[in-house]
Amino acid sequence: MTSLFGRDFLKEVDFTAAELDSLIDLAATLKLERAEHRERPRLTGSAVALIFEKSSTRTRCAFEVAAFQQGAFTTYLDPASSQMGHKESIADTARVLSRMYDGIQYRGAAQATAEELAEYATVPVFNGLTDEWHPTQMLADFLTMREHAPRPWGDITYAYLGDARNNMGNSYLVMGAIMGADVRICAPRALWPADDVQALARERASVSGARILITESVEEAVAGADFLATDVWVSMGEPAETWAERIEILRPYRLDSTVVRGSGNPEVKILHCLPAFHDASTQVGRTVAERYGMTDGVEISHDVFESPASIVMDEAENRLHTIKAVLVATLARNP
Ligand code: CP
Ligand code: NVA
């Protein structure tokens, strides 16, 4: 396996397809080991700092449980319980944590903060989501796709619908481009990935042979797809007032049963990184349902979310195995 020992994990484009594949392979191996009750701890005595400037369920839990199952210790730092940013610079935080920890996870708004932490840290830094990229999520999604369609990436087609200039839109575009998949990004033009992200994707696609389609047409995007993915229409950190305009322009891009049928593929599978607004059982879901009459889900309809085609819980579980792979590959001397 390609050695990733000591490497940061900040964004997909820092890696080759072979390196990303090696992480997905390692995650599958670790998942099997655990299922067969023969997991070997490779990180005994290690410690990982988890800086969360935005909230999380899956990413935090996956880092904590992955570390624990591999014998490592974690410290959870939220904005209120750390000095970073307000009383201490990013550079100083990185240098201090490097003296005590073997790795640092960062979730926050700016990719520049993750990059700065990595610049000053002497231990690997992992991006647990920024406004620009969600690379650990991509490893989980690609492992999930491989489990449900075990074929070369060149034979995999996926379409991502919704807010495509957020972290998930960017990451799906660039990860698929690196791996050589057939990638369709579907959104109103105002929500397409930024030009520099598109350029990055096209550059990597020219190497991998990936096919890239960025389109406003749902019909065109979903035709023949193996996987359909979406994400929330208003991301963490965006003001609540954004909902009105997003709903207005994204309504035609909702992942509902008509869109699923439009794939023409009876075996098509559904992905969502979660959390999802698929009913009115959350505060935001309820507010949006009442205000905009979307009682049956916002970015994804409830029936699609709960359908047999939905593999979102496999995807959520795979956050654990893939984040464990990142920890083992970058921190373990004997992975
Ligand atoms: N998908 C994901 O990153 O979930 P959390 O925000 O709960 O970590
Ligand atoms: N785009 C979403 C992803 C959540 C995992 C957000 O940034 O809030």
Side-chain angles (χ1 to χ4, degrees):
M1 182 188 127
T2 328
S3 175
L4 297 177
F5 183 75
R7 289 271 298 272
D8 299 314
F9 192 73
L10 299 175
K11 54 188 183 302
E12 299 83 351
V13 77
D14 294 341
F15 294 85
T16 63
E19 288 169 338
L20 293 166
D21 260 327
S22 77
L23 285 168
I24 297 165
D25 287 346
L26 178 59
T29 302
L30 293 166
K31 183 174 183 175
L32 189 65
E33 266 188 27
R34 176 120 198 117
E36 293 178 348
H37 308 285
R38 53 179 180 80
E39 183 165 6
R40 171 171 68 86
R42 297 150 172 92
L43 297 173
T44 308
S46 296
V48 184
L50 306 176
I51 305 172
F52 278 86
E53 296 186 332
K54 290 185 174 194
S55 48
S56 168
T57 296
R58 279 145 291 273
T59 309
R60 176 187 175 179
C61 295
F63 268 99
E64 291 197 2
V65 174
F68 172 78
Q69 290 174 348
Q70 279 294 311
F73 170 84
T74 56
T75 303
Y76 174 71
L77 296 159
D78 64 24
S81 61
S82 109
Q83 311 276 25
M84 192 173 92
H86 27 106
K87 279 184 74 182
E88 192 156 33
S89 69
I90 294 158
D92 290 356
T93 306
R95 289 181 294 168
V96 169
L97 293 178
S98 296
R99 296 294 182 104
M100 301 183 196
Y101 292 89
D102 302 285
I104 302 167
Q105 185 277 169
Y106 174 76
R107 166 175 284 202
Q111 179 70 19
T113 306
E115 306 274 349
E116 193 178 347
L117 273 170
E119 186 186 337
Y120 288 94
T122 53
V123 298
V125 173
F126 316 115
N127 175 2
L129 176 148
T130 61
D131 290 350
E132 285 158 69
W133 308 109
H134 199 359
T136 61
Q137 182 72 50
M138 283 305 110
L139 294 179
D141 285 39
F142 272 66
L143 174 61
T144 310
M145 287 196 267
R146 197 175 94 171
E147 289 171 344
H148 287 271
R151 301 195 291 273
W153 299 119
D155 296 337
I156 298 293
T157 300
Y158 65 81
Y160 171 78
L161 290 84
D163 179 5
R165 36 95 279 164
N166 73 4
N167 38 31
M168 289 300 294
N170 290 345
S171 279
Y172 271 127
L173 174 59
V174 171
M175 181 76 174
I178 298 169
M179 303 309 271
D182 184 335
V183 184
R184 289 98 178 265
I185 301 293
C186 183
R189 193 172 282 266
L191 295 178
W192 282 6
D195 290 346
D196 58 332
V197 175
Q198 290 192 36
L200 209 56
R202 296 199 193 282
E203 186 190 310
R204 296 301 289 262
S206 71
V207 176
S208 68
R211 284 139 297 160
I212 305 282
L213 173 70
I214 303 176
T215 178
E216 291 195 299
S217 160
V218 174
E219 211 176 31
E220 193 187 11
V222 304
D226 301 301
F227 298 92
L228 301 178
T230 189
D231 182 22
V232 291
W233 287 352
V234 175
S235 283
M236 290 184 278
E238 294 192 291
E241 302 83 81
T242 318
W243 275 109
E245 69 193 57
R246 283 292 154 73
I247 284 180
E248 197 185 320
I249 58 170
L250 283 174
R251 221 183 257 271
Y253 297 87
R254 180 172 186 257
L255 189 40
D256 61 13
S257 54
T258 310
V259 171
V260 173
R261 272 196 303 278
S263 72
N265 176 6
E267 301 299 319
V268 70
K269 299 284 186 293
I270 307 303
L271 294 163
H272 191 310
C273 65
L274 309 182
F277 296 122
H278 61 93
D279 58 20
S281 67
T282 62
Q283 204 187 329
V284 177
R286 227 173 359 260
T287 309
V288 172
E290 283 161 14
R291 202 167 292 170
Y292 306 99
M294 301 185 86
T295 47
D296 169 35
V298 184
E299 74 277 6
I300 185 166
S301 63
H302 188 65
D303 60 335
V304 168
F305 186 89
E306 295 294 352
S307 70
S310 171
I311 52 172
V312 299
M313 296 303 159
D314 291 350
E315 186 184 359
E317 177 190 332
N318 283 339
R319 299 301 307 286
L320 170 65
H321 309 297
T322 46
I323 282 174
K324 191 184 284 179
V326 171
L327 293 176
V328 167
T330 57
L331 303 183
R333 285 180 192 279
N334 296 305

